[in-house]
Amino acid sequence: MATTEAEIKEQKAVAMTEEEEQLKVDMKEEVVTKEEKQNGKEEEVVKEDKEEEVKMEVELSTGVKFPVKVSDGKQLDAMGVRKKRVTLLNVTVYGFGIYGDNDKLTELLKSKFEKAPEQPTKELYETVIDSDVGLMVRLVIVFPGLTMNMVRKNFDEVLGGVLKKLNGAPEDFEVAKRLMGEATDGIKLSSGSVIEITRLPGYTLQTKVKDEVISTVESELLCRAYFHLYLGEDPFDKNAKEKFGASLLSLF
């Protein structure tokens, strides 16, 4: 039986429809493949970002590791050790890393100095100490028997000494006692516990213990006194201060 012209046209239409449907399927598969590749690239980027975030430097005398960059963008500019004399021994209490907002530090230094000094100077350190630029000191506990009351007492003593040199008023000494907030021995410290003390805008010191904010104190004099402990004339670790000074010079 001969195929009519109408039947031939209908068969061609069906064939074209099938080809179009297959073409749509192929295009969808291609789009999905491209999206998967793109997602794969995005995952790789995220993975690379995470790897960058966990890059660490080691403070050699303690073995404490510090991230080279923290989540808010501050960069590790120096590492050191806090030692305290107990009877006849120098006990290592904690390792520390000093982090800075290096973009802001660069702006600050270039606004104060026409050119970089040959060596870090007292004026260079004091420019940073007296400023409102973001700085953070991360303390990683090394001494296993340390308690929060011991930490509080130590900071009360050393900050009190610096405040005297800076001609602090009686009320400034009371403000200094708020640095460790209401933290008590209920917060257990062990080797590896982290305390972060950060200078925020508005001459504000924020203290975190084990990622928990325990105090936020607004005081320009307290900010200056605190960073004198690490960058002043009698720092906890002279080598760390010198490393920080070298980092400052590299910003010019």
Side-chain angles (χ1 to χ4, degrees):
M1 184 175 179
T3 304
T4 65
E5 185 176 348
E7 289 175 335
I8 292 172
K9 288 182 178 180
E10 184 179 351
Q11 289 174 0
K12 286 182 178 181
V14 169
M16 289 178 65
T17 302
E18 289 176 349
E19 288 178 1
E20 288 174 354
E21 290 298 327
Q22 185 60 45
L23 181 60
K24 288 179 181 179
V25 170
D26 291 342
M27 290 176 67
K28 284 182 180 179
E29 288 178 351
E30 186 178 353
V31 169
V32 170
T33 301
K34 286 181 178 179
E35 288 178 349
E36 287 176 347
K37 287 181 179 179
Q38 183 63 32
N39 289 338
K41 288 179 181 178
E42 289 175 356
E43 287 174 2
E44 287 177 7
V45 170
V46 170
K47 185 177 179 182
E48 287 175 2
D49 288 343
K50 287 182 178 178
E51 287 176 353
E52 287 181 3
E53 287 175 4
V54 298
K55 284 182 180 177
M56 310 291 273
E57 285 194 17
V58 180
E59 198 292 307
L60 295 178
S61 66
T62 60
V64 171
K65 296 180 180 180
F66 293 92
V68 299
K69 193 174 183 179
V70 289
S71 59
D72 65 359
K74 291 186 181 68
Q75 294 175 278
L76 181 63
D77 290 323
M79 295 179 291
V81 176
R82 167 63 167 143
K83 293 185 176 182
K84 187 170 177 61
R85 193 164 185 80
V86 179
T87 61
L88 299 177
L89 299 174
N90 277 329
V91 176
T92 299
V93 182
Y94 57 78
F96 64 84
I98 305 175
Y99 292 79
D101 182 340
N102 285 357
D103 290 338
K104 295 292 185 182
L105 284 173
T106 300
E107 292 177 11
L108 171 71
L109 296 176
K110 289 185 176 181
S111 71
K112 299 290 184 180
F113 299 87
E114 291 184 3
K115 62 179 181 178
E118 293 183 3
Q119 298 291 333
T121 62
K122 180 180 179 181
E123 184 182 3
L124 185 74
Y125 289 115
E126 288 186 346
T127 296
V128 174
I129 290 171
D130 294 345
S131 78
D132 197 19
V133 173
L135 289 179
M136 186 262 280
V137 181
R138 170 175 285 196
L139 322 176
V140 181
I141 305 303
V142 175
F143 182 63
L146 200 65
T147 66
M148 278 307 307
N149 282 334
M150 292 167 67
V151 172
R152 181 196 303 280
K153 182 179 179 181
N154 177 66
F155 274 114
D156 286 351
E157 290 176 355
V158 294
L159 284 171
V162 176
L163 286 169
K164 284 182 181 178
K165 292 180 181 178
L166 297 177
N167 299 316
E171 56 268 25
D172 293 314
F173 292 88
E174 291 304 313
V175 169
K177 292 180 181 180
R178 291 163 50 197
L179 181 67
M180 285 297 150
E182 300 300 321
T184 66
D185 285 345
I187 299 177
K188 301 300 181 184
L189 297 177
S190 58
S191 182
S193 294
V194 175
I195 298 173
E196 293 179 339
I197 301 178
T198 306
R199 181 169 66 192
L200 302 173
Y203 292 100
T204 299
L205 277 185
Q206 181 189 79
T207 303
K208 285 184 179 181
V209 179
K210 300 169 71 172
D211 283 330
E212 179 185 350
V213 176
I214 62 168
S215 77
T216 302
V217 184
E218 184 178 342
S219 168
E220 180 177 350
L221 191 61
L222 181 59
C223 286
R224 290 171 55 205
Y226 180 72
F227 286 100
H228 263 282
L229 299 178
Y230 299 92
L231 306 176
E233 293 183 357
D234 187 22
F236 285 156
D237 186 328
K238 290 182 179 179
N239 288 331
K241 175 184 173 179
E242 290 172 1
K243 290 173 188 174
F244 187 82
S247 294
L248 293 180
L249 294 182
S250 73
L251 298 177
F252 281 92

